[in-house]
Amino acid sequence: MIVAEAKPFDEIKEMVNGYRKVLVLGCGSCVTVCMSGGQKEAELLAAALRIARGIERREATVDAKTILRQCDEEFVRQVRDELSSYDAVLSMACGAGVQGMNEWLRNVPVLPAMNTRFIGLCEGQGKWVEVCAACGDCVLGVTGGICPVTSCPKGILNGPCGGNKKGRCEVSPDVPCAWVLIYERMKERGKLEEFKKERAAKDWSKRQRPGRYTHRP
Amino acid sequence: MRPIIVPPCQAACPINTDVRGYVSAIARGDAEEALRVIRRVNPLPSVCGRICTRRCETACRRAQVDAPVAIRALKRYAADLAIGQSFFTRPLSSYPEKVAIVGSGPSGLVAAHDLALLGYSVTLFEARPVLGGLLSEGIPKYRLPKEIVQREIGAIVSLGIEVKTGVRFGKEVSLDGLLWDFDAVFIAVGSGKGIVPQCDGVDLSGVFSGVDFLKEVDRGDRQAPGRRVVVIGGGHTAIDAARTCIRLGVSEVTVVYRRSLEEMPAGKEEVLRAEEEGVRFVYCAAPIRFIGKTRVERVRFARTALGEPEESGRRRPVPLEGSEFDLEADAVILAIGYAPDAEEIKEAGLKVGERGTIVVMDETGATDITGVFAAGDVVTGPMSVVDAMASGRKAAGAIHRYFRRIPDNAFDRLVSLRPLETSVTAAIQKSERQEPSLLPREQRTTSFDEVESALDHEQARREALRCLNCGAGATVDGECAACLNCVRVCPFGIPAMGAQTVEIDVAQCQACGICAAECPACAIHLKDDARYPMRPGVDRVLEKAREESPDIVVTGFYCCFRHPLGPPVERHALSWIPVLCLGRLRESDILYPFEVGAEGILLVSCRDEECRFGRGVRLLAERVERVKTILDDTGIGGSRLSVVAGDDECDRFIRGIERLGINPVRTGKRVAA
Ligand SMILES: Cc1cc2nc3c(=O)[nH]c(=O)nc-3n(C[C@H](O)[C@H](O)[C@H](O)COP(=O)(O)OP(=O)(O)OC[C@H]3O[C@@H](n4cnc5c(N)ncnc54)[C@H](O)[C@@H]3O)c2cc1C
Ligand code: SF4
Ligand code: SF4
């Protein structure tokens, strides 16, 4: 799942400064699941903007709404007329949503309220961790289902390196060594022979941007 | 006819009282609303608040955790605040039909009440000079003071019911006569005749029926029947007769029952009260002979053993040979049951069933004579006040449909929520049941003063807060993003992933509101709650506060579980909003008062480890931090928001707000809502 987090409030406030009538638009998919950009957060951001504008004695309308997905035109089309009555839409979707919205709305600027962070997993209520770097050449099949490209700060394919101290990475004691985790997992599965094999360099050309995918080429 | 799922208390109540509705109103401190909820179905609330057999409490799911909610005592608490006050007025339009009601016990009274409210002219015939049936003459006044009965009856009669007391059906009026003058007749003459055991010596003087005895005492015609009295039986009547004897000054009162305490129809509590007053109990013994010359002197009993269960589910007592023993007695009160007067019924031409009851077609109370209906104890044999009321209500509805030619549709079928699962009961905080205080024993044995008193305000609030709000919990709407936050956050582990969205089992949810406050999609709603349940309260409170204190207004949210009696402190400039656990407050609820102009917000919660729902306080703390950040960001300032504990802290906070001055939102232009 895509995880995003709200930008600092001042930055958002500044961004919508020139617009009188603003709609904070939540997205009902990934960012709702990671609690940062669903209806609840949209309402809260709208209230904060109203308060801030009130203090600055600026007459302004800031409303909140959420649609199921901002990254598909069909969903956006359903609310196009309604959105067109605003001077700006402040999108709480990931970067894909914001770009799609700008493409399909045209007459209203759509501004990003979020910083899109990563593809991640939930680690318990309200906590997410990055687990996939979208490298385009997946190695999970030979690493016990743990991604060294994402979870090892150095992204090495044949670890651990000498910087591992008691299972922690030298980069920070908060970061577990991904390669120790891979070792433990493969040991548990009786795959230590495989662990010892050398892994060839990855094909980084697959990561050339912008990526494209066609379901039935 | 779709089944309607209701809390177990409501399903068990014969008149389906919205128990949860009135109990939660008391918990909020709104006793008036509580009484309105009760009066919607019950025109005798102060009576029921004292002597109802409380099937609701037997069904109450709080018993799965500790003890049932003291529902009856709460009803009395609310009802006593306005005894005899009329809640309804006679409808303006009326129907031409006239109904005769015979018998003014609870069954007749409720039928009269309902038919009058529907717009019929009702005439109530009663053989005795007073209305009320066993409520007025029978149930002793130390349990049910007669002024209270009369005041509640007064309110019913004031709906425009014509009353004819001292008129006996079968004597002064006949069924044919009534059918000539009225369009329908409803018979609710009760079960007035005591049952006499088939043994030698029952005709001796000094042997008499319990119901007759109690009626005579209420009429003021009875002195102590002797020095040593033996009461035979194990129901209400037996215990009431024994306790009445004590109050009349009888020095030795023994109740003899043929089964054990466990099978006794009178509740254990009543037995306990009687014992406290000096009544002696002998179990597992049945009378075989009354001995004496003209007046009874002794009763011979045989010990019994309990055999196979009978139809009633209770085990049949079997006399044991050679186990006889005698008890000396100057008087014997027979309280082994009572039945309708079959002769009266037969003479009227009605079909008589076993035990002398009137035979009816179904629960509408229709008899085999068109236009004649019957209900209450005369149909069922001895039951209870609330059963009699329920049957009166059904008959009134049936009479209305009969007149208006509306088909007898099936009644709503109320189905109870399932019991709580043990994983849920284990997570529910225990809390002690509040009991009403009792008259000191010396006063009980020498007077007919009422024994039980009402709960005081504090007890009532505390007790009402014990209610688990069964069935008023969370529901999930179509906006659910299946994010599973509710699944992770619920203290009771109730939400579970369904096919598309999360599902919350209404039978298990504890209505804490935590999941709704955490839901990022705003897709969870507590039943009966609006989308922003806090806002109207905040608007109201702020408007009022602003009038009184134009400069500084501080809004306080306090947890009702922590402060059941109301706001923790009263201060000028401070206006309170009660909340059932602050764990249900969302960030936007806390931010909202600032948006509409409050200078400061105080939150008074429980201590973390005391939270009724376990994690409400912890989650609140996280949300408060979040809102403080927003307040700092927007320019209001996080120091205008605080979670406080004691009075001093409240004062310090208010002084701090005074220093900070007016909410900057107010000095700027108004914001759009
Ligand atoms: C001692 C005792 C204690 C009880 N305690 C409780 C208790 O604590 N809780 C509880 O729920 N229930 C209790 N009950 C049961 C309850 O009182 C009855 O179930 C209930 O009153 C039945 O109501 P009813 O309207 O059918 O008849 P009743 O209350 O018996 O009323 C019948 C009325 O009809 C009148 N009548 C009779 N014959 C005629 C006639 N021919 N013409 C005109 N009028 C007539 C009678 O005078 C009486 O007023 C108790 C009963 C007794 C005897
Ligand atoms: S806990 Fe409350 S709602 Fe539930 S059964 Fe008891 S009184 Fe009724
Ligand atoms: S309201 Fe409370 S008990 Fe009910 S599902 Fe939500 S969190 Fe669980």
Side-chain angles (χ1 to χ4, degrees), chain B residues 7-9 19-20 59-62 69 71 466-470:
Chain B
C9 48
V19 174
R20 185 186 73 206
C60 174
R61 300 200 302 176
R62 177 97 219 180
V69 173
I71 301 172
R466 293 182 66 238
C467 170
L468 301 174
N469 270 312
C470 303

Side-chain angles (χ1 to χ4, degrees), chain A residues 102-152:
Chain A
N102 273 294
E103 183 70 26
W104 304 313
L105 270 183
R106 290 302 165 96
N107 55 344
V108 190
V110 179
L111 306 164
M114 314 293 280
N115 289 325
T116 307
R117 294 286 311 276
F118 51 74
I119 297 172
L121 277 183
C122 180
E123 287 191 298
Q125 205 237 347
K127 293 195 194 99
W128 284 268
V129 60
E130 180 174 15
V131 290
C132 172
C135 71
D137 185 21
C138 193
V139 295
L140 291 171
V142 292
T143 59
I146 295 169
C147 175
V149 181
T150 318
S151 303
C152 163

Side-chain angles (χ1 to χ4, degrees), chain A residues 14-214:
Chain A
E14 195 53 40
M15 206 175 341
V16 294
N17 210 4
Y19 304 99
R20 212 184 57 79
K21 202 175 166 210
V22 176
L23 178 70
V24 181
L25 188 67
C27 183
S29 299
C30 305
V31 290
T32 295
V33 174
C34 74
M35 303 179 86
S36 56
Q39 176 68 14
K40 182 182 172 189
E41 289 300 313
E43 284 178 12
L44 210 53
L45 179 55
L49 286 169
R50 284 196 297 265
I51 290 173
R53 289 182 164 205
I55 292 172
E56 289 166 6
R57 303 165 179 243
R58 296 185 44 207
E59 191 157 7
T61 307
V62 186
D63 297 331
K65 184 182 179 70
T66 300
I67 60 172
L68 182 56
R69 264 198 335 256
Q70 295 186 21
C71 55
D72 269 311
E73 185 175 3
E74 286 76 358
F75 291 106
V76 179
R77 205 186 294 146
Q78 289 177 343
V79 291
R80 194 155 50 193
D81 290 346
E82 188 185 344
L83 268 52
S84 298
S85 69
Y86 289 89
D87 299 326
V89 171
L90 189 53
S91 165
M92 298 196 85
C94 67
V98 176
Q99 294 183 58
M101 294 276 296
N102 273 294
E103 183 70 26
W104 304 313
L105 270 183
R106 290 302 165 96
N107 55 344
V108 190
V110 179
L111 306 164
M114 314 293 280
N115 289 325
T116 307
R117 294 286 311 276
F118 51 74
I119 297 172
L121 277 183
C122 180
E123 287 191 298
Q125 205 237 347
K127 293 195 194 99
W128 284 268
V129 60
E130 180 174 15
V131 290
C132 172
C135 71
D137 185 21
C138 193
V139 295
L140 291 171
V142 292
T143 59
I146 295 169
C147 175
V149 181
T150 318
S151 303
C152 163
K154 295 174 187 164
I156 53 177
L157 287 183
N158 294 286
C161 73
N164 147 48
K165 282 191 215 88
K166 289 191 181 146
R168 297 272 134 187
C169 175
E170 66 180 340
V171 170
S172 156
D174 293 337
V175 178
C177 171
W179 277 104
V180 171
L181 297 177
I182 293 168
Y183 171 81
E184 299 288 351
R185 172 77 56 80
M186 292 183 80
K187 189 169 130 190
E188 188 185 303
R189 295 195 178 154
K191 292 266 162 60
L192 276 185
E193 281 315 307
E194 212 176 298
F195 177 84
K196 288 177 194 152
K197 282 186 201 149
E198 192 179 316
R199 280 154 289 264
K202 274 166 63 72
D203 177 5
W204 285 104
S205 71
K206 297 245 178 81
R207 215 189 167 191
Q208 191 191 320
R209 284 172 159 162
R212 283 231 140 69
Y213 163 69
T214 311

Side-chain angles (χ1 to χ4, degrees), chain B residues 213 224-225 229 231 240-251 253 333:
Chain B
F213 167 70
V229 178
V231 181
D240 282 346
R243 294 176 74 188
T244 296
C245 284
I246 296 274
R247 283 163 175 76
L248 290 172
V250 177
S251 48
V253 184
I333 299 179

Side-chain angles (χ1 to χ4, degrees), chain B residues 474 490-492 494-495 504 509-516 526:
Chain B
C490 174
F492 305 95
I494 290 153
I504 294 179
C509 172
Q510 294 300 301
C512 69
I514 286 176
C515 59
L526 288 206

Side-chain angles (χ1 to χ4, degrees), chain B residues 180-218:
Chain B
W180 185 261
D181 291 332
F182 294 88
D183 302 288
V185 177
F186 174 58
I187 301 175
V189 292
S191 282
K193 236 178 64 181
I195 293 174
V196 173
Q198 310 269 312
C199 37
D200 286 348
V202 280
D203 299 328
L204 289 172
S205 89
V207 179
F208 44 84
S209 126
V211 188
D212 289 343
F213 167 70
L214 289 167
K215 285 182 181 170
E216 282 163 23
V217 172
D218 274 336

Side-chain angles (χ1 to χ4, degrees), chain A residues 9-10 28 32-33 35 38-41 43-44 47-48 50-55 57 60-61 63 122 124-126 128, chain B residues 481 483 485 488-489 517-522 531-532 587-588 591 595 626 630 633-636 665 667-669 671-672:
Chain A
F9 182 70
D10 281 345
T32 295
V33 174
M35 303 179 86
Q39 176 68 14
K40 182 182 172 189
E41 289 300 313
E43 284 178 12
L44 210 53
R50 284 196 297 265
I51 290 173
R53 289 182 164 205
I55 292 172
R57 303 165 179 243
T61 307
D63 297 331
C122 180
Q125 205 237 347
W128 284 268
Chain B
C483 72
N485 269 296
R488 295 175 186 137
V489 86
E518 287 292 311
C519 174
C522 299
R531 173 133 198 200
Y532 303 105
E587 286 95 333
S588 59
L591 194 59
E595 192 181 342
R626 177 86 203 285
I630 296 175
D633 285 345
T634 52
I636 286 186
V665 168
T667 51
K669 282 186 197 143
V671 289

